[in-house]
Amino acid sequence: MTDIDEHGRPEPPLAGDEADTLLGFLDYQRATLAWKCSGLDAKELGATVAASSITLGGLLKHLAYVEADWFSRSLHGRDREPPWDSVDWKADPDWDWRSAAEDSPEQLFTLWQDAVARSRTLVAQALADGGLDRLATGITNTSVRHPACGVS
């Protein structure tokens, strides 16, 4: 049974195997983002702090992209799906961050939550098909990486 903290975050396992520990901490981080962004309106999701151009809305969209890219493309070797497949990443490498201002809070949360749900399914498939010994099929030494975070 997973313990939930006062902010609704699942506590990572104290004594788990490698996969359970990694996934426990990933879910904790996902829940932290959900907690920090919950109830915010478009203005609040679009706010910046000091000299940074990073917004919570941009972070939600960027992390939706990271979820989709790492677990679908890198782990399973699949093609990008919408909306990521129609982006010219070379011309606009920060599209995920920049375009978030055009999306409503509902769109951003749905995009991110759907990506997380797909990621959980894809991880479960990979663990059922070889576990941690299964090789990722979409990573190559010649991959072009996203300049901000390393996602191609």
Side-chain angles (χ1 to χ4, degrees):
M1 181 171 173
T2 302
D3 290 329
I4 304 295
D5 74 7
E6 67 274 14
H7 303 293
R9 300 175 297 182
E11 294 286 350
L14 293 176
D17 64 20
E18 188 174 7
D20 288 341
T21 301
L22 289 170
L23 294 174
F25 275 94
L26 181 57
D27 278 340
Y28 180 84
Q29 296 304 321
R30 288 170 173 157
T32 299
L33 179 64
W35 162 48
K36 294 294 186 175
C37 294
S38 68
L40 299 181
D41 62 22
K43 183 178 179 182
E44 293 166 322
L45 285 174
T48 59
V49 178
S52 175
S53 63
I54 292 175
T55 65
L56 287 174
L59 185 61
L60 279 170
K61 193 163 190 174
H62 174 71
L63 289 177
Y65 171 62
V66 170
E67 292 273 356
D69 218 61
W70 276 106
F71 292 110
S72 183
R73 280 191 70 209
S74 297
L75 184 59
H76 288 281
R78 297 179 181 169
D79 291 335
R80 283 191 176 122
E81 296 179 359
W84 321 115
D85 62 338
S86 62
V87 177
D88 182 351
W89 292 102
K90 289 182 182 177
D92 193 356
D94 292 324
W95 178 85
D96 45 351
W97 293 98
R98 184 188 51 70
S99 66
E102 302 163 12
D103 300 327
S104 70
E106 294 79 18
Q107 289 170 312
L108 292 168
F109 277 107
T110 297
L111 182 69
W112 177 67
Q113 290 167 338
D114 288 351
V116 168
R118 278 190 304 279
S119 294
R120 287 185 175 125
T121 298
L122 293 167
V123 167
Q125 289 171 359
L127 290 173
D129 183 30
L132 296 179
D133 292 330
R134 179 190 180 278
L135 294 177
T137 58
I139 297 176
T140 68
N141 289 335
T142 59
S143 296
V144 176
R145 307 311 283 174
H146 187 289
C149 69
V151 176
S152 62

